[in-house]
Amino acid sequence: MKEFTYTIQEKVGIHARPAGLLVKEVKKYQSTVTIVKDDKSVNAVKLMALMGMGIKCGDTVTVQVEGPDEADAAAALEVFFKEHL
């Protein structure tokens, strides 16, 4: 499993548009991607669950990637987070 932490920079946090973009990005990979904040975690392809976490600007999340293409997926998602979130 690969993982990284990221502090959200997007002013409104993970709301509908960035959450939708994240789901679309995650679906490109076979690996399972989990977003963890505090004691809650969600599968990153579940849009409503992702938005329901209430992730705001300044919150730190852990992104866990596990599966056959985890190295590629984790690297791409880290870039995605820096560019979009």
Side-chain angles (χ1 to χ4, degrees):
M1 177 173 61
K2 301 279 186 190
E3 72 176 38
F4 64 91
T5 58
Y6 183 77
T7 301
I8 303 300
Q9 305 298 314
E10 174 68 35
K11 290 178 185 173
V12 291
I14 298 183
H15 63 94
R17 188 184 59 76
L21 292 173
L22 178 58
V23 169
K24 188 175 179 181
E25 184 69 20
V26 167
K27 286 184 176 181
K28 294 178 182 177
Y29 302 97
Q30 294 177 324
S31 295
T32 300
V33 178
T34 306
I35 308 294
V36 181
K37 177 185 168 247
D38 300 329
D39 60 344
K40 294 191 282 185
S41 65
V42 298
N43 185 323
V45 296
K46 299 191 181 294
L47 179 65
M48 297 308 287
L50 191 57
M51 289 177 11
M53 288 187 76
I55 299 170
K56 298 175 178 55
C57 182
D59 288 349
T60 299
V61 297
T62 301
V63 181
Q64 300 172 333
V65 186
E66 187 169 9
D69 56 357
E70 64 189 27
D72 291 339
L77 287 170
E78 198 159 2
V79 170
F80 175 87
F81 269 72
K82 290 176 182 171
E83 291 177 353
H84 299 283
L85 297 172

Coordinates of all heavy atoms in Angstrom, one line a residue:
M1 N 0.8 -1.2 0.0 CA 0.0 0.0 0.0 C 0.9 1.2 0.0 O 1.9 1.3 0.7 CB -0.9 0.0 1.2 CG -1.7 1.3 1.3 SD -3.0 1.3 2.6 CE -2.1 1.2 4.1
K2 N 0.5 2.2 -0.8 CA 1.1 3.5 -0.8 C 0.2 4.5 -0.2 O -1.0 4.4 -0.2 CB 1.4 4.0 -2.3 CG 2.2 3.0 -3.1 CD 3.7 3.2 -2.8 CE 4.6 2.4 -3.7 NZ 5.9 2.4 -3.3
E3 N 0.8 5.5 0.5 CA 0.0 6.6 1.1 C 0.7 7.9 1.2 O 2.0 7.9 1.2 CB -0.6 6.2 2.4 CG 0.3 6.1 3.6 CD -0.4 5.8 4.9 OE1 -1.3 5.0 4.9 OE2 0.0 6.4 5.9
F4 N 0.0 9.0 1.2 CA 0.6 10.3 1.4 C -0.5 11.1 2.1 O -1.6 10.8 2.1 CB 1.0 10.9 0.1 CG -0.1 11.2 -0.9 CD1 -0.8 12.5 -0.9 CD2 -0.5 10.3 -1.8 CE1 -1.8 12.7 -1.8 CE2 -1.5 10.6 -2.7 CZ -2.2 11.8 -2.7
T5 N 0.1 12.2 2.8 CA -0.8 13.1 3.4 C -0.8 14.4 2.7 O 0.2 14.8 2.0 CB -0.4 13.4 4.9 OG1 0.9 13.8 4.9 CG2 -0.6 12.1 5.7
Y6 N -1.9 15.1 2.8 CA -2.0 16.4 2.0 C -2.9 17.4 2.8 O -4.0 16.9 3.3 CB -2.6 16.2 0.6 CG -2.7 17.4 -0.2 CD1 -1.5 18.0 -0.8 CD2 -3.9 18.1 -0.3 CE1 -1.6 19.1 -1.5 CE2 -3.9 19.3 -1.1 CZ -2.8 19.8 -1.7 OH -2.8 21.0 -2.4
T7 N -2.5 18.6 2.9 CA -3.4 19.6 3.5 C -4.1 20.4 2.4 O -3.5 20.9 1.5 CB -2.5 20.6 4.4 OG1 -1.8 19.8 5.4 CG2 -3.4 21.6 5.1
I8 N -5.4 20.4 2.5 CA -6.3 21.0 1.5 C -6.1 22.5 1.4 O -6.1 23.2 2.4 CB -7.8 20.7 1.8 CG1 -8.0 19.1 1.9 CG2 -8.7 21.3 0.8 CD1 -7.7 18.3 0.7
Q9 N -5.8 22.9 0.2 CA -5.6 24.4 -0.1 C -6.8 25.0 -0.7 O -6.9 26.3 -0.6 CB -4.4 24.5 -1.0 CG -3.1 23.9 -0.5 CD -2.6 24.4 0.8 OE1 -2.5 25.6 1.0 NE2 -2.3 23.5 1.7
E10 N -7.6 24.3 -1.4 CA -8.8 24.8 -2.0 C -9.7 25.5 -1.0 O -10.0 25.0 0.1 CB -9.6 23.7 -2.7 CG -11.0 24.0 -3.2 CD -10.9 24.9 -4.5 OE1 -10.0 24.8 -5.3 OE2 -11.8 25.8 -4.6
K11 N -10.1 26.8 -1.3 CA -10.7 27.7 -0.3 C -12.0 27.1 0.2 O -12.4 27.2 1.4 CB -11.0 29.0 -0.9 CG -9.8 29.9 -1.1 CD -10.1 31.2 -1.8 CE -8.9 31.9 -2.1 NZ -9.1 33.1 -2.9
V12 N -12.8 26.4 -0.6 CA -14.1 25.8 -0.2 C -13.9 24.3 0.2 O -14.9 23.7 0.4 CB -15.1 26.0 -1.2 CG1 -15.5 27.5 -1.4 CG2 -14.7 25.5 -2.6
G13 N -12.7 23.8 0.2 CA -12.5 22.4 0.6 C -12.9 21.4 -0.5 O -12.9 21.8 -1.7
I14 N -13.3 20.2 -0.2 CA -13.7 19.2 -1.2 C -15.2 19.3 -1.3 O -16.0 18.7 -0.6 CB -13.2 17.8 -0.8 CG1 -11.7 17.8 -0.8 CG2 -13.8 16.8 -1.8 CD1 -11.1 16.4 -0.5
H15 N -15.7 20.2 -2.2 CA -17.1 20.3 -2.5 C -17.4 19.6 -3.8 O -16.6 18.9 -4.3 CB -17.5 21.8 -2.5 CG -16.9 22.6 -3.6 ND1 -17.5 22.8 -4.8 CD2 -15.7 23.2 -3.6 CE1 -16.7 23.5 -5.6 NE2 -15.5 23.8 -4.9
A16 N -18.6 19.9 -4.4 CA -19.1 19.1 -5.5 C -18.1 19.0 -6.7 O -17.8 18.0 -7.2 CB -20.4 19.6 -6.0
R17 N -17.6 20.2 -7.2 CA -16.8 20.2 -8.4 C -15.4 19.4 -8.1 O -15.1 18.5 -8.9 CB -16.5 21.6 -8.9 CG -15.8 21.6 -10.3 CD -15.5 23.0 -10.7 NE -14.7 23.8 -9.8 CZ -13.3 23.6 -9.7 NH1 -12.8 22.7 -10.4 NH2 -12.6 24.3 -8.9
P18 N -14.7 19.8 -7.1 CA -13.4 19.1 -7.0 C -13.6 17.6 -6.6 O -12.8 16.8 -7.0 CB -12.7 19.9 -5.9 CG -13.6 20.8 -5.3 CD -14.7 21.0 -6.2
A19 N -14.7 17.3 -5.8 CA -14.9 15.9 -5.5 C -15.2 15.1 -6.8 O -14.8 14.0 -6.9 CB -16.1 15.8 -4.5
G20 N -16.0 15.7 -7.7 CA -16.3 15.1 -8.9 C -15.1 14.8 -9.8 O -14.9 13.7 -10.4
L21 N -14.2 15.8 -9.8 CA -12.9 15.6 -10.5 C -12.0 14.5 -9.9 O -11.4 13.8 -10.6 CB -12.1 17.0 -10.5 CG -12.7 18.1 -11.3 CD1 -11.9 19.4 -11.1 CD2 -12.7 17.8 -12.8
L22 N -12.1 14.5 -8.6 CA -11.3 13.5 -7.9 C -11.8 12.1 -8.2 O -11.0 11.2 -8.5 CB -11.3 13.7 -6.3 CG -10.6 12.7 -5.5 CD1 -9.1 12.6 -5.9 CD2 -10.7 13.1 -4.0
V23 N -13.1 11.9 -8.1 CA -13.7 10.6 -8.4 C -13.3 10.2 -9.9 O -13.0 9.0 -10.1 CB -15.3 10.6 -8.3 CG1 -15.9 9.4 -8.9 CG2 -15.6 10.8 -6.8
K24 N -13.4 11.1 -10.8 CA -13.1 10.8 -12.2 C -11.6 10.4 -12.3 O -11.3 9.4 -13.0 CB -13.4 12.1 -13.0 CG -13.2 11.8 -14.5 CD -13.6 13.1 -15.3 CE -13.5 12.9 -16.8 NZ -13.9 14.1 -17.5
E25 N -10.7 11.1 -11.6 CA -9.3 10.7 -11.6 C -9.1 9.3 -11.0 O -8.3 8.5 -11.6 CB -8.5 11.8 -10.9 CG -7.0 11.6 -10.9 CD -6.4 11.8 -12.3 OE1 -7.0 12.5 -13.1 OE2 -5.3 11.4 -12.5
V26 N -9.7 9.1 -9.9 CA -9.5 7.8 -9.2 C -10.0 6.6 -10.1 O -9.4 5.5 -10.1 CB -10.3 7.8 -7.8 CG1 -10.4 6.4 -7.3 CG2 -9.6 8.7 -6.9
K27 N -11.0 6.8 -10.8 CA -11.6 5.7 -11.7 C -10.7 5.3 -12.8 O -10.9 4.3 -13.4 CB -13.0 6.1 -12.2 CG -14.0 6.1 -11.2 CD -15.4 6.4 -11.7 CE -16.5 6.3 -10.7 NZ -17.8 6.5 -11.2
K28 N -9.6 6.1 -13.1 CA -8.6 5.7 -14.1 C -7.8 4.5 -13.7 O -7.1 4.0 -14.5 CB -7.7 6.9 -14.4 CG -8.4 8.1 -15.0 CD -7.4 9.2 -15.2 CE -8.1 10.5 -15.8 NZ -7.1 11.6 -16.0
Y29 N -7.8 4.2 -12.4 CA -6.9 3.2 -11.9 C -7.6 2.0 -11.3 O -8.8 2.1 -10.9 CB -6.0 3.8 -10.8 CG -5.2 5.0 -11.3 CD1 -5.7 6.3 -11.1 CD2 -4.1 4.8 -12.0 CE1 -5.0 7.4 -11.6 CE2 -3.4 5.9 -12.6 CZ -3.8 7.2 -12.4 OH -3.2 8.2 -12.9
Q30 N -6.9 0.8 -11.3 CA -7.5 -0.4 -10.8 C -7.4 -0.4 -9.2 O -8.2 -1.1 -8.6 CB -6.8 -1.6 -11.3 CG -7.0 -1.8 -12.8 CD -6.1 -3.0 -13.3 OE1 -5.0 -3.2 -12.8 NE2 -6.7 -3.7 -14.3
S31 N -6.5 0.3 -8.7 CA -6.3 0.3 -7.2 C -7.5 0.9 -6.5 O -8.2 1.8 -7.0 CB -5.0 1.0 -6.9 OG -3.9 0.4 -7.4
T32 N -7.6 0.5 -5.2 CA -8.6 1.1 -4.3 C -8.0 2.3 -3.7 O -6.9 2.2 -3.1 CB -9.1 0.1 -3.3 OG1 -9.6 -1.1 -3.9 CG2 -10.1 0.7 -2.3
V33 N -8.7 3.4 -3.7 CA -8.2 4.7 -3.1 C -9.1 5.1 -2.0 O -10.3 5.2 -2.1 CB -8.1 5.8 -4.2 CG1 -7.6 7.1 -3.5 CG2 -7.2 5.4 -5.3
T34 N -8.5 5.2 -0.8 CA -9.3 5.6 0.4 C -8.8 7.0 0.9 O -7.6 7.2 1.0 CB -9.1 4.5 1.5 OG1 -9.4 3.2 0.9 CG2 -9.9 4.8 2.7
I35 N -9.7 7.8 1.2 CA -9.4 9.1 1.8 C -9.7 9.0 3.3 O -10.9 8.7 3.7 CB -10.3 10.3 1.2 CG1 -10.2 10.3 -0.4 CG2 -9.9 11.6 1.8 CD1 -8.8 10.6 -0.9
V36 N -8.8 9.4 4.1 CA -8.9 9.3 5.6 C -8.8 10.7 6.2 O -7.8 11.4 5.9 CB -7.9 8.3 6.2 CG1 -8.1 8.2 7.7 CG2 -7.9 7.0 5.5
K37 N -9.8 11.1 7.0 CA -9.7 12.3 7.8 C -10.1 12.0 9.2 O -11.2 11.5 9.5 CB -10.6 13.4 7.2 CG -10.6 14.7 8.0 CD -11.6 15.7 7.5 CE -11.7 16.8 8.4 NZ -13.1 16.8 9.0
D38 N -9.2 12.3 10.2 CA -9.5 12.0 11.6 C -9.8 10.5 11.7 O -9.0 9.7 11.3 CB -10.6 12.8 12.2 CG -10.3 14.3 12.1 OD1 -9.1 14.7 12.2 OD2 -11.2 15.1 11.9
D39 N -11.0 10.1 12.2 CA -11.3 8.7 12.4 C -12.3 8.2 11.3 O -12.8 7.1 11.4 CB -11.9 8.4 13.8 CG -13.1 9.2 14.0 OD1 -13.4 10.2 13.3 OD2 -13.8 8.9 15.0
K40 N -12.5 9.0 10.2 CA -13.4 8.6 9.2 C -12.6 8.3 7.9 O -11.6 8.9 7.6 CB -14.4 9.7 8.9 CG -15.4 10.0 10.0 CD -16.5 10.9 9.5 CE -16.0 12.4 9.5 NZ -17.1 13.3 9.1
S41 N -13.1 7.3 7.1 CA -12.5 7.0 5.9 C -13.6 6.7 4.8 O -14.7 6.1 5.2 CB -11.5 5.9 6.0 OG -12.2 4.7 6.3
V42 N -13.3 7.0 3.6 CA -14.3 6.7 2.5 C -13.5 6.2 1.3 O -12.4 6.6 1.0 CB -15.2 7.9 2.1 CG1 -16.1 8.3 3.2 CG2 -14.4 9.0 1.5
N43 N -14.2 5.4 0.5 CA -13.7 5.0 -0.8 C -13.8 6.2 -1.7 O -14.9 6.8 -1.8 CB -14.5 3.8 -1.3 CG -14.0 3.3 -2.6 OD1 -13.5 4.0 -3.5 ND2 -14.0 2.0 -2.8
A44 N -12.7 6.6 -2.4 CA -12.7 7.8 -3.1 C -13.6 7.8 -4.4 O -13.7 8.9 -5.1 CB -11.3 8.2 -3.5
V45 N -14.2 6.7 -4.8 CA -15.1 6.7 -5.9 C -16.5 7.0 -5.5 O -17.4 7.1 -6.4 CB -15.0 5.4 -6.8 CG1 -13.6 5.2 -7.4 CG2 -15.4 4.2 -5.9
K46 N -16.8 7.1 -4.2 CA -18.1 7.4 -3.7 C -18.3 8.9 -3.5 O -18.0 9.4 -2.4 CB -18.4 6.6 -2.5 CG -18.3 5.1 -2.7 CD -18.8 4.3 -1.6 CE -18.7 2.8 -1.8 NZ -19.5 2.2 -2.8
L47 N -18.8 9.5 -4.5 CA -18.9 11.0 -4.5 C -19.7 11.5 -3.3 O -19.2 12.4 -2.6 CB -19.6 11.5 -5.8 CG -19.8 13.0 -5.9 CD1 -18.5 13.7 -6.0 CD2 -20.7 13.3 -7.1
M48 N -20.8 11.0 -3.0 CA -21.6 11.6 -1.9 C -20.9 11.3 -0.5 O -20.9 12.2 0.3 CB -23.0 11.0 -1.9 CG -23.8 11.3 -3.1 SD -23.9 13.1 -3.5 CE -25.0 13.7 -2.3
A49 N -20.3 10.2 -0.4 CA -19.6 9.9 0.9 C -18.4 10.9 1.0 O -18.1 11.4 2.1 CB -19.1 8.5 0.9
L50 N -17.7 11.1 -0.1 CA -16.6 12.0 -0.1 C -17.0 13.4 0.3 O -16.4 14.0 1.2 CB -15.9 12.0 -1.5 CG -14.6 12.7 -1.7 CD1 -13.6 12.0 -0.8 CD2 -14.2 12.5 -3.1
M51 N -18.1 13.9 -0.3 CA -18.6 15.3 0.1 C -19.1 15.3 1.5 O -19.0 16.3 2.2 CB -19.7 15.7 -0.9 CG -19.1 16.0 -2.3 SD -20.3 16.4 -3.6 CE -21.8 16.7 -2.8
G52 N -19.6 14.2 2.0 CA -20.2 14.1 3.3 C -19.1 14.1 4.4 O -19.5 14.3 5.6
M53 N -17.9 14.0 4.1 CA -16.8 14.0 5.1 C -16.6 15.5 5.6 O -16.0 15.7 6.6 CB -15.5 13.5 4.5 CG -15.6 12.0 4.4 SD -14.0 11.3 4.0 CE -13.1 11.3 5.5
G54 N -17.1 16.4 4.8 CA -16.9 17.8 5.3 C -15.5 18.3 5.3 O -15.1 19.0 6.2
I55 N -14.7 17.9 4.3 CA -13.3 18.3 4.3 C -13.2 19.8 3.9 O -13.6 20.2 2.8 CB -12.5 17.4 3.4 CG1 -12.6 16.0 3.9 CG2 -11.0 17.9 3.3 CD1 -12.0 14.9 3.0
K56 N -12.6 20.6 4.7 CA -12.5 22.1 4.5 C -11.0 22.5 4.2 O -10.1 21.7 4.5 CB -13.0 22.8 5.7 CG -14.4 22.5 6.0 CD -14.8 23.2 7.3 CE -16.3 23.1 7.7 NZ -16.8 21.7 7.7
C57 N -10.8 23.7 3.8 CA -9.5 24.2 3.6 C -8.7 24.2 4.9 O -9.3 24.5 6.0 CB -9.6 25.7 3.1 SG -8.0 26.5 2.8
G58 N -7.5 23.7 4.8 CA -6.7 23.6 6.0 C -6.7 22.2 6.7 O -5.9 21.9 7.5
D59 N -7.7 21.4 6.3 CA -7.8 20.0 6.8 C -6.7 19.2 6.2 O -6.4 19.3 5.0 CB -9.1 19.4 6.6 CG -10.3 20.0 7.4 OD1 -10.0 20.7 8.4 OD2 -11.4 19.7 7.1
T60 N -6.1 18.3 7.0 CA -5.1 17.3 6.4 C -5.8 16.0 6.3 O -6.4 15.5 7.2 CB -3.9 17.2 7.4 OG1 -3.3 18.5 7.5 CG2 -2.9 16.3 6.8
V61 N -5.6 15.4 5.1 CA -6.2 14.1 4.8 C -5.0 13.1 4.5 O -3.9 13.6 4.0 CB -7.2 14.1 3.6 CG1 -8.4 15.0 4.0 CG2 -6.5 14.6 2.3
T62 N -5.3 11.9 4.7 CA -4.3 10.8 4.2 C -5.0 10.1 3.1 O -6.2 9.7 3.1 CB -4.1 9.8 5.4 OG1 -3.5 10.6 6.5 CG2 -3.1 8.7 4.9
V63 N -4.2 9.9 2.0 CA -4.7 9.2 0.8 C -4.0 7.9 0.8 O -2.8 7.8 0.7 CB -4.4 10.0 -0.5 CG1 -5.0 9.3 -1.7 CG2 -5.1 11.4 -0.4
Q64 N -4.8 6.8 0.8 CA -4.2 5.4 0.8 C -4.6 4.8 -0.5 O -5.7 4.8 -0.9 CB -4.8 4.6 2.0 CG -4.5 5.2 3.3 CD -5.2 4.4 4.5 OE1 -6.2 3.8 4.3 NE2 -4.6 4.5 5.6
V65 N -3.6 4.2 -1.2 CA -3.8 3.5 -2.5 C -3.3 2.1 -2.4 O -2.1 1.9 -2.0 CB -3.0 4.3 -3.6 CG1 -3.4 3.7 -4.9 CG2 -3.3 5.8 -3.5
E66 N -4.2 1.2 -2.7 CA -3.8 -0.2 -2.6 C -4.3 -1.0 -3.8 O -5.5 -0.9 -4.2 CB -4.3 -0.9 -1.3 CG -3.8 -2.3 -1.1 CD -4.2 -2.8 0.3 OE1 -4.9 -2.1 1.0 OE2 -3.7 -3.8 0.6
G67 N -3.4 -1.7 -4.5 CA -3.8 -2.5 -5.7 C -2.7 -2.6 -6.7 O -1.5 -2.3 -6.4
P68 N -3.0 -3.2 -7.8 CA -2.0 -3.6 -8.8 C -1.2 -2.4 -9.4 O -0.1 -2.5 -9.8 CB -2.8 -4.3 -9.9 CG -4.2 -3.9 -9.8 CD -4.4 -3.6 -8.3
D69 N -1.8 -1.2 -9.5 CA -1.1 0.0 -10.0 C -1.0 1.1 -9.0 O -1.0 2.2 -9.3 CB -1.9 0.5 -11.3 CG -3.3 0.8 -11.0 OD1 -3.8 0.6 -9.9 OD2 -4.0 1.3 -11.9
E70 N -0.8 0.7 -7.7 CA -0.8 1.6 -6.6 C 0.3 2.7 -6.7 O 0.1 3.8 -6.4 CB -0.7 0.9 -5.3 CG 0.5 0.1 -5.0 CD 0.5 -0.8 -3.8 OE1 -0.6 -1.1 -3.3 OE2 1.5 -1.0 -3.2
A71 N 1.5 2.3 -7.2 CA 2.6 3.2 -7.4 C 2.3 4.4 -8.3 O 2.4 5.5 -8.0 CB 3.9 2.5 -7.8
D72 N 1.8 4.0 -9.5 CA 1.4 5.0 -10.5 C 0.2 5.8 -10.0 O 0.2 7.0 -10.2 CB 1.0 4.3 -11.8 CG 2.2 3.6 -12.5 OD1 3.3 4.0 -12.2 OD2 2.0 2.7 -13.4
A73 N -0.8 5.2 -9.4 CA -2.0 5.9 -9.0 C -1.6 6.9 -7.9 O -2.1 8.0 -7.9 CB -3.0 4.9 -8.5
A74 N -0.8 6.5 -6.9 CA -0.4 7.3 -5.8 C 0.3 8.6 -6.3 O 0.1 9.7 -5.9 CB 0.4 6.6 -4.8
A75 N 1.3 8.3 -7.3 CA 2.1 9.4 -7.8 C 1.1 10.4 -8.6 O 1.2 11.6 -8.4 CB 3.1 8.9 -8.7
A76 N 0.2 9.9 -9.4 CA -0.7 10.7 -10.2 C -1.6 11.5 -9.3 O -1.9 12.7 -9.5 CB -1.4 9.9 -11.2
L77 N -2.1 10.8 -8.2 CA -3.1 11.5 -7.3 C -2.4 12.6 -6.5 O -3.0 13.6 -6.2 CB -3.7 10.4 -6.4 CG -4.8 9.6 -7.1 CD1 -5.2 8.4 -6.2 CD2 -6.0 10.4 -7.5
E78 N -1.1 12.4 -6.1 CA -0.4 13.4 -5.4 C -0.3 14.7 -6.2 O -0.5 15.8 -5.8 CB 0.9 12.9 -5.0 CG 1.6 13.7 -3.9 CD 2.6 13.0 -3.1 OE1 3.0 11.8 -3.4 OE2 3.2 13.6 -2.2
V79 N 0.0 14.5 -7.5 CA 0.0 15.6 -8.4 C -1.4 16.3 -8.6 O -1.5 17.5 -8.5 CB 0.5 15.2 -9.8 CG1 0.4 16.3 -10.9 CG2 2.0 14.8 -9.7
F80 N -2.4 15.4 -8.7 CA -3.8 15.9 -8.8 C -4.2 16.8 -7.6 O -4.7 17.8 -7.7 CB -4.8 14.7 -8.9 CG -6.2 15.1 -8.9 CD1 -6.8 15.5 -10.1 CD2 -6.9 15.2 -7.8 CE1 -8.1 15.9 -10.1 CE2 -8.2 15.6 -7.8 CZ -8.8 16.0 -8.9
F81 N -3.8 16.3 -6.4 CA -4.2 17.0 -5.2 C -3.5 18.4 -5.2 O -4.1 19.4 -4.8 CB -3.8 16.2 -3.9 CG -4.9 15.3 -3.4 CD1 -5.3 14.2 -4.1 CD2 -5.5 15.6 -2.2 CE1 -6.3 13.4 -3.6 CE2 -6.6 14.9 -1.7 CZ -6.9 13.7 -2.4
K82 N -2.2 18.4 -5.6 CA -1.5 19.7 -5.6 C -2.1 20.7 -6.6 O -2.1 21.9 -6.4 CB 0.0 19.4 -5.9 CG 0.7 18.8 -4.7 CD 2.2 18.4 -5.0 CE 2.8 17.7 -3.9 NZ 4.1 17.2 -4.2
E83 N -2.5 20.2 -7.7 CA -3.1 21.0 -8.8 C -4.5 21.5 -8.5 O -4.9 22.5 -9.0 CB -3.0 20.3 -10.1 CG -1.6 20.2 -10.6 CD -1.5 19.4 -11.9 OE1 -2.5 18.9 -12.4 OE2 -0.4 19.3 -12.5
H84 N -5.3 20.6 -7.9 CA -6.8 20.9 -7.8 C -7.3 21.1 -6.4 O -8.4 21.6 -6.2 CB -7.5 19.7 -8.5 CG -7.2 19.6 -9.9 ND1 -7.7 20.4 -10.9 CD2 -6.4 18.7 -10.6 CE1 -7.3 20.1 -12.1 NE2 -6.5 19.0 -11.9
L85 N -6.6 20.6 -5.4 CA -7.1 20.7 -4.0 C -6.2 21.4 -3.1 O -6.5 21.6 -2.0 CB -7.4 19.3 -3.5 CG -8.4 18.5 -4.3 CD1 -8.5 17.0 -3.8 CD2 -9.8 19.1 -4.2

